[in-house]
Amino acid sequence: MIVTATNSREPVLRREWISDGAHVNAVGASSPAFRELDTATVAAATLFADSRESIAAEAGEFQLAIKEGAISGPEYVRAELGEVAAGMHPGRTARDELTLFRSLGLGIEDLAAAEHAVASARSRGAGTEVEL
């Protein structure tokens, strides 16, 4: 697994550095002017996103891959994360498949993580709840 979380304007990860079967979480560079991945990585990967709308509007490497003709467009996204989690679409389908989750962040994801953290802390009797 490889995770990128930068505000780079140029790729910090290139396809030739990535082994087949790797999974990439690209979670930074959330503006069309920025990109963490080269076009070859985007084109070679099975792509998942937290939101098709967000990736089309905000992911610089995604927009550039379309502009360069390396990928077809928004339909190149196999599924949104929620669709995979709900069993509506498969995740990885082969051991050597390069998968990419391009995250731009959604408030609902943050809320779900917070709810899970609070429930976990409550079940263990950890932490202190404060009434606001």
Side-chain angles (χ1 to χ4, degrees):
M1 178 177 286
I2 302 165
V3 178
T4 59
T6 74
N7 62 354
S8 181
R9 290 184 179 270
E10 297 299 324
V12 298
L13 186 61
R14 299 197 174 279
R15 174 63 185 108
E16 62 263 23
W17 303 338
I18 306 170
S19 299
D20 289 342
H23 174 74
V24 178
N25 282 333
V27 301
S30 299
S31 166
F34 300 96
R35 62 190 289 223
E36 296 183 302
L37 312 173
D38 68 348
T39 298
T41 299
V42 176
T46 301
L47 181 59
F48 301 89
D50 41 17
S51 162
R52 285 180 181 89
E53 182 179 347
S54 294
I55 197 171
E58 301 172 36
E61 60 271 292
F62 182 75
Q63 293 176 354
L64 189 57
I66 293 170
K67 184 178 177 181
E68 292 177 354
I71 63 173
S72 56
E75 64 278 0
Y76 186 75
V77 176
R78 174 181 284 173
E80 292 182 353
L81 182 61
E83 294 169 337
V84 175
M88 298 166 58
H89 290 282
R92 177 183 303 277
T93 58
R95 185 174 181 82
D96 63 347
E97 182 178 21
L98 172 60
T99 55
L100 166 61
F101 173 56
R102 182 62 179 98
S103 177
L104 292 146
L106 293 176
I108 192 70
E109 291 171 343
D110 297 338
L111 180 59
E115 293 250 343
H116 177 73
V118 169
S120 178
R122 283 180 178 152
S123 72
R124 293 189 333 254
T128 303
E129 290 199 41
V130 177
E131 187 80 28
L132 298 177

